[in-house]
Amino acid sequence: MNPYINRPRPGRNPDAYKEFDATELYCARCRKPVPVRKRLLLVLPEGDKFEYLCAFCSDTVGTKISRDKKPSKLIV
């Protein structure tokens, strides 16, 4: 049995890389990778939907749904 397989590393958090934010994406209008701005688009029951905009032409270059770890309470 290999002792290095499935062995947790000390001091490492396995949940540390579950979610990423983009800093640069390809823009079809500019025809190159560009820095992006993140904008909240919708608040959904399954999580917040964000839109990534090109920093130069403000064209939409991607979207992301950020999943909440705890369910949000809706007060009506």
Side-chain angles (χ1 to χ4, degrees), residues 8-76:
R9 295 181 184 174
R12 302 272 175 124
N13 184 0
D15 296 332
Y17 299 105
K18 290 234 176 192
E19 192 170 320
F20 288 97
D21 284 327
T23 57
E24 194 172 90
L25 293 171
Y26 180 80
C27 178
R29 183 181 288 175
C30 297
R31 296 184 176 194
K32 63 180 179 179
V34 294
V36 292
R37 293 178 290 141
K38 185 177 171 183
R39 180 177 76 163
L40 179 63
L41 193 61
L42 293 169
V43 178
L44 302 169
E46 62 267 9
D48 298 334
K49 185 171 185 176
F50 291 94
E51 175 181 43
Y52 288 108
L53 302 172
C54 172
F56 302 116
C57 68
S58 297
D59 197 26
T60 301
V61 293
T63 60
K64 170 188 176 180
I65 294 181
S66 176
R67 309 265 189 241
D68 294 333
K69 293 190 179 195
K70 57 181 180 180
S72 58
K73 295 180 182 178
L74 179 63
I75 300 173
V76 180

